[in-house]
Amino acid sequence: MLDFNFSEWAVVALVALVVIGPKDLPKAMRVLGYWVGRARSVARQFRSGFDEMIREAELAEMEKKWKEENARIMEMHPPSPPEMIEHAPAAPAAPDTEDAAPVMVEKPVVAAPPEAGPADTPAPAAAGQEKPAA
């Protein structure tokens, strides 16, 4: 890349000021900036296209290596015929009798009813109990 230090830029600016003149120097700098931006844009597009081509080439090369390695592994370990494959034992069949009682796996938890607090209304009397005489 171009390497300019401050003194070289100062000489270029002084020559541009003398040759172009102070009146047209801002317009010339705008045009120069426009063309530098265009050149950078073209260079960026070229570089991104080149990088994309390199990535695609590397990907194709990796896919080729993977395919070769897969073929080598398949030659070393050929798949067994379907009749040679052992299957897992089948689950025991459900009982055919309809008389069989269901099997409980977990014991149900029976919770006591909540206690009535002083602010709560009294619970209604249970069936078969008499109301106390007042």
Side-chain angles (χ1 to χ4, degrees):
M1 197 76 204
L2 297 175
D3 185 28
F4 291 107
N5 59 21
F6 180 73
S7 62
E8 292 171 345
W9 279 110
V11 170
V12 169
L14 184 63
V15 169
L17 183 63
V18 170
V19 172
I20 298 173
K23 183 179 177 184
D24 295 328
L25 190 59
K27 183 179 179 183
M29 294 303 287
R30 264 194 309 273
V31 170
L32 178 68
Y34 172 78
W35 285 108
V36 167
R38 292 282 304 238
R40 285 184 177 181
S41 174
V42 168
R44 186 173 39 250
Q45 288 176 353
F46 175 76
R47 173 121 187 191
S48 67
F50 189 72
D51 288 344
E52 183 67 27
M53 288 188 324
I54 289 174
R55 275 192 295 263
E56 288 176 1
E58 288 175 350
L59 182 61
E61 183 179 328
M62 289 177 67
E63 286 178 350
K64 182 181 175 185
K65 286 181 182 178
W66 290 338
K67 192 177 282 187
E68 290 172 357
E69 182 67 16
N70 190 25
R72 184 186 69 79
I73 291 171
M74 292 304 288
E75 286 177 5
M76 289 176 59
H77 306 285
S80 58
E83 59 272 355
M84 297 295 288
I85 297 176
E86 293 183 24
H87 295 286
D96 291 336
T97 61
E98 294 181 17
D99 298 335
V103 178
M104 288 189 81
V105 178
E106 296 178 10
K107 185 176 181 180
V109 178
V110 179
E115 297 282 330
D120 293 336
T121 58
Q129 292 182 350
E130 296 180 12
K131 291 184 181 181

